[in-house]
Amino acid sequence: MSKKVIVGITGSSATILGVRALEELKKAGAETHLIITKAGKDILEDETDYKVKDVEKLATKVYKIDDLFAPISSGSFKTDGMLIAPCSMKTLAGIASGYTDNLLLRAADVVLKERRKLILLTREMPLSYIHIKNMKTVTTAGAVVIPPVLTFYSKPKTIEDMVKHVVGKALDHLGIDTGYKRWN
Ligand SMILES: Cc1cc2nc3c(=O)[nH]c(=O)nc-3n(C[C@H](O)[C@H](O)[C@H](O)COP(=O)(O)O)c2cc1C
């Protein structure tokens, strides 16, 4: 059975993680529901060679950030979970506090309340006490926090290798095997 996954891209550096995740999900035949925040769109076009419209073409369905009537804002729309890649500290704070004032935050809140998988590729450095506290809160609520940190046991040769490794680890949590290099 093909997977149904909500993907969020927010305004943090490393927006390429969201693009690669969408590509891998497409390869795996997953149905994807995409929301990109305003800051996410700006940063995506600033730090990569991708245009938002091309990234949106990778998804099965695309939603506007303020479309609170979208099916993904309800628990009765069943999914296998949600990946936010990358996840800004602002969006992390919104999830941790249950302050669901846009569709991405509402979708994440729904995934948590329905006890589905919420995977957050939180990206900031260094981390303040507030960031760490929010990561603890969402982890206690059931989310999986995967900061995109450097990994060397996979013997990466390029930045692309590093990106694929992080995306592979994240998608593992949704039961999708991208064939990334594992430790053995
Ligand atoms: C170029 C650029 C890079 C940024 N990188 C980060 C980052 O790595 N992590 C983060 O938490 N915020 C980062 N920010 C700040 C967020 O974009 C900002 O807090 C924004 O309100 C996040 O909104 P969103 O979560 O709705 O996308 C960055 C902003 C800019 C302009």
Side-chain angles (χ1 to χ4, degrees):
M1 262 249 298
S2 71
K3 301 268 180 188
K4 201 189 271 192
V5 178
I6 304 169
V7 177
I9 299 179
T10 71
S12 130
S13 191
T15 49
I16 192 67
L17 293 167
V19 180
R20 290 289 174 269
L22 282 168
E23 288 170 346
E24 291 295 343
L25 284 160
K26 193 172 181 173
K27 256 195 253 168
E31 181 182 310
T32 48
H33 296 259
L34 175 67
I35 323 137
I36 312 180
T37 65
K38 161 83 176 67
K41 288 181 179 179
D42 291 345
I43 295 173
L44 175 78
E45 294 206 346
D46 182 64
E47 70 177 11
T48 75
D49 293 330
Y50 288 90
K51 292 278 167 236
V52 169
K53 64 174 171 29
D54 296 320
V55 172
E56 288 181 340
K57 279 183 199 151
L58 294 168
T60 313
K61 192 110 187 37
V62 179
Y63 303 93
K64 290 203 178 95
I65 190 69
D66 58 356
D67 182 9
L68 289 166
F69 280 82
I72 55 172
S73 79
S74 165
S76 50
F77 185 81
K78 280 199 165 181
T79 66
D80 294 289
M82 178 171 185
L83 170 73
I84 307 184
C87 180
S88 75
M89 294 302 109
K90 178 202 152 190
T91 290
L92 171 69
I95 298 167
S97 61
Y99 189 73
T100 64
D101 78 333
N102 67 40
L103 179 61
L104 190 149
L105 288 169
R106 169 65 186 166
D109 200 56
V110 166
V111 165
L112 282 183
K113 86 180 171 75
E114 299 295 335
R115 310 297 195 270
R116 295 174 190 147
K117 286 258 177 176
L118 178 63
I119 318 296
L120 307 177
L121 271 56
T122 50
R123 201 264 149 216
E124 187 50 281
M125 64 187 272
L127 295 166
S128 73
Y129 170 73
I130 294 166
H131 302 149
I132 293 167
K133 190 164 61 91
N134 285 338
M135 286 189 210
K136 182 183 173 194
T137 301
V138 298
T139 301
T140 309
V144 180
V145 173
I146 305 181
V149 295
L150 299 175
T151 304
F152 290 95
Y153 63 75
S154 54
K155 308 270 166 42
K157 298 213 166 18
T158 62
I159 295 171
E160 187 60 32
D161 289 346
M162 295 254 189
V163 168
K164 283 200 173 145
H165 188 83
V166 171
V167 168
K169 285 213 69 115
L171 292 180
D172 247 8
H173 284 268
L174 289 164
I176 292 164
D177 189 354
T178 62
Y180 77 97
K181 264 195 194 167
R182 292 164 195 277
W183 171 253
N184 60 43

